[in-house]
Amino acid sequence: MRGKAVVTGLGVAAPNGLGVEEYWRATLGGRTGIGRITRFDPTNYPARLAGEIEGFVAEDHLPGRLLPQTDRMTRIALVGADWAFADAGIAPGDLPEFDMGVITASSSGGFEFGQNELRALWSKGGQYVSAYQSFAWFYAVNSGQISIRNGMRGPSGVVVSDQAGGLDALAQARRQIRKGTSLVMTGAIDASLCPWGWVAQLAGGRLSTSDDPEHAYLPFDARARGHVPGEGGALLVLEDGEHAERRGARVHGEFAGYGSTFDPRPGSGRPPGLRKAIELALADAGLEPDGIDVVFADAAAVPELDRVEAEALAGVFGPRGVPVTAPKTMTGRLYSGAAPLDLAAAFLALRDQVIPPTVHTDPDASYDLDLVGPEPRPAALGTALVLARGHGGFNSAAVVRTATG
Amino acid sequence: MPATTFTAEDLRRILREGAGADDGVDLDGDILDAEFEALGYESLALLETGGRIEREFDITLDDDTLTDARTPRALIEAVNARLSASAA
């Protein structure tokens, strides 16, 4: 496994399941985590559904010193990192501290923490704003807190490119592994289901205003009307292949290919960049299109964007040329957390030789997609392609495959 | 005698509210002469603690007060000195 970056640990926190196996059971069972918002009263907002994580009690997992200084997304990320380490069969103390990095993605930062402090500022005054607001809202805070908690002082940072960031973080982690770092904690957790975060998301104009959890988020369906947001994502231990081999690690698979592009400016007449990102990722993995066994779609559920994705897939793989799935129909779109969760699902799909379902969607025939339906589909799987697009023109694609010696 | 006194109990409560408590530290134990750092409180925790003392007791602490007071006892004394000064 020389020169390869392999995933040896998964930590999952999703609206339809906390922890890898609970998420996977729920996903294969078609169980949705989408429902009416409970975190605040959504009655007077135009969009009222979200994928909320249930049953996460930070106090059960984290020391008291961390609670006053962390947003919900950071608490979930810290626990997700703990789970990923445990799954990797490694403790952070096992490695030299400068040989481990943390590279996560973020799309919005710690909104709920920031909302509370802004409220304190305008209702009581500056003296009432927490000193921890200085970093608790910040995009890089999940990386920073994971680094501090686990003593990981190697190459670290954050990438911010909306939903595409979830793959861009893995790519950046792989660069650092190629430069000699043995292990990088990577992936992303986003969580901004609070009134301030909600109005920011509403401003993007892509939220579904349906009140029916079964009809709100319908990518590739003629009834597509925007997406339902969710919270959560996944942390992954990305490790140098030789390092993993030396310690006899169980390997989920290889992060084998990556490509990213940026869309041309509107009106330029040039084509969207997604297809090129797919082609770059395939070339990076050394694969032809027929070497991809399943695609985890970005699944915007905005008709124009669904069209772009379907055309990119048909262009590369041919009409109905590859099975396509969107298990995020059960979680909502998790922004930077979405693609790391899809990567985790892809590795589990490779393990169990089954493609997770896409629920509720009745695909429009004109998209020419072989969209996996509401039941899991058994299949011989050795590779998967994961797609993620970020607001404003980010396109990223990643190829994962079963680890081979 | 100042009208208000800042007690060790006040400090314990404010530390818990503003910065939390380290699981390995018994704040209710004999902490008065332990260094804040050994109790798990870094400079930002003390900044938050100072801010909460200021607004609750309606005083202003000099920037140096928080950096110079390395133990709970020293901070309690400094706060009470400030309270006496404002009461005078």
Side-chain angles (χ1 to χ4, degrees):
Chain A
M1 291 199 259
R2 190 179 178 80
K4 290 180 178 175
V6 298
V7 170
T8 55
L10 301 174
V12 164
N16 63 344
L18 259 183
V20 170
E21 296 307 329
E22 199 180 316
Y23 161 71
W24 190 234
R25 257 196 311 278
T27 298
L28 292 182
R31 195 162 80 234
T32 183
I34 291 173
R36 185 176 167 92
I37 290 173
T38 63
R39 203 74 50 69
F40 59 94
D41 180 2
T43 305
N44 293 326
Y45 296 86
R48 291 169 291 274
L49 297 184
E52 293 180 339
I53 289 176
E54 278 179 22
F56 178 80
V57 181
E59 289 78 359
D60 292 349
H61 304 283
L62 297 173
R65 275 292 280 113
L66 280 174
L67 298 175
Q69 55 177 283
T70 43
D71 182 75
R72 178 172 171 84
M73 64 151 197
T74 304
R75 296 171 178 185
I76 299 171
L78 284 165
V79 175
D82 288 352
W83 289 344
F85 267 126
D87 185 53
I90 196 168
D94 296 345
L95 270 75
E97 57 187 4
F98 285 98
D99 203 25
M100 302 177 289
V102 187
I103 299 170
T104 64
S106 178
S107 88
S108 60
F111 253 80
E112 191 169 22
F113 196 102
Q115 172 181 309
N116 289 336
E117 299 315 311
L118 278 174
R119 182 189 287 129
L121 176 66
W122 57 251
S123 64
K124 298 185 203 162
Q127 273 198 312
Y128 288 82
V129 175
S130 166
Y132 293 112
Q133 170 66 2
S134 55
F135 61 68
W137 73 272
F138 186 46
Y139 300 110
V141 73
N142 289 359
S143 286
Q145 290 282 23
I146 291 170
S147 160
I148 293 166
R149 176 167 162 83
N150 298 292
M152 307 169 79
R153 305 179 72 182
S156 297
V158 64
V159 293
V160 180
S161 41
D162 190 26
Q163 190 131 328
L167 295 180
D168 300 339
L170 269 285
Q172 178 64 7
R174 187 178 65 161
R175 284 183 202 109
Q176 296 303 341
I177 283 170
R178 285 174 170 168
K179 288 183 190 171
T181 300
S182 292
L183 179 156
V184 180
M185 183 65 72
T186 184
I189 300 285
D190 255 325
S192 58
L193 299 180
C194 62
W196 186 33
W198 200 243
V199 292
Q201 295 184 43
L202 284 165
R206 292 182 181 173
L207 298 199
S208 169
T209 53
S210 166
D211 278 318
D212 178 357
E214 298 200 349
H215 294 97
Y217 177 36
L218 302 171
F220 305 113
D221 191 307
R223 299 165 296 168
R225 51 184 295 173
H227 69 262
V228 173
E231 61 179 355
L235 272 301
L236 298 87
V237 174
L238 193 69
E239 195 170 344
D240 171 67
E242 287 187 337
H243 188 271
E245 199 167 33
R246 271 200 306 278
R247 69 180 185 89
R250 181 271 329 266
V251 172
H252 288 290
E254 182 194 357
F255 187 78
Y258 165 76
S260 68
T261 61
F262 200 76
D263 281 335
R265 66 174 172 78
S268 72
R270 286 179 286 141
L274 182 61
R275 178 173 177 169
K276 184 72 182 170
I278 296 170
E279 291 166 348
L280 288 169
L282 289 175
D284 186 37
L287 290 174
E288 297 297 323
D290 64 5
I292 295 294
D293 298 323
V294 61
V295 175
F296 287 73
D298 174 64
V302 171
E304 309 84 80
L305 294 169
D306 284 350
R307 178 70 59 193
V308 167
E309 185 166 29
E311 286 177 357
L313 290 172
V316 173
F317 298 98
R320 299 172 184 270
V322 64
V324 176
T325 190
K328 59 171 67 80
T329 46
M330 289 171 267
T331 63
R333 284 173 70 83
L334 308 185
Y335 304 106
S336 70
L341 185 63
D342 275 344
L343 287 171
F347 288 122
L348 296 164
L350 297 182
R351 181 190 73 183
D352 293 347
Q353 297 290 289
V354 61
I355 303 174
T358 304
V359 299
H360 304 144
T361 277
D362 179 15
D364 185 331
S366 75
Y367 287 131
D368 257 342
L369 291 179
D370 173 16
L371 196 71
V372 173
E375 299 294 328
R377 184 193 293 183
L381 304 174
T383 61
L385 173 72
V386 176
L387 303 181
R389 286 178 291 183
H391 201 86
F394 298 97
N395 305 290
S396 292
V399 173
V400 298
R401 67 180 153 214
T402 310
T404 49
Chain B
M1 192 68 191
T4 319
T5 310
F6 181 69
T7 66
E9 277 320 301
D10 292 325
L11 179 60
R12 289 185 170 102
R13 173 178 50 78
I14 287 174
L15 281 170
R16 280 204 183 90
E17 286 170 2
D22 208 41
D23 291 353
V25 172
D26 178 17
L27 273 191
D28 293 321
D30 186 12
I31 59 161
L32 286 181
D33 295 307
E35 299 223 338
F36 281 116
E37 205 174 308
L39 296 171
Y41 297 110
E42 75 297 319
S43 59
L44 205 54
L46 293 178
L47 188 67
E48 173 65 16
T49 301
R52 284 172 180 258
I53 294 170
E54 285 183 327
R55 69 198 198 212
E56 186 172 323
F57 289 85
D58 198 22
I59 52 170
T60 306
L61 298 170
D62 297 331
D63 289 349
D64 296 345
T65 304
L66 291 167
T67 42
D68 292 350
R70 302 175 65 86
T71 65
R73 189 186 302 280
L75 180 58
I76 290 165
E77 283 172 5
V79 171
N80 280 319
R82 197 80 201 87
L83 283 168
S84 300
S86 8

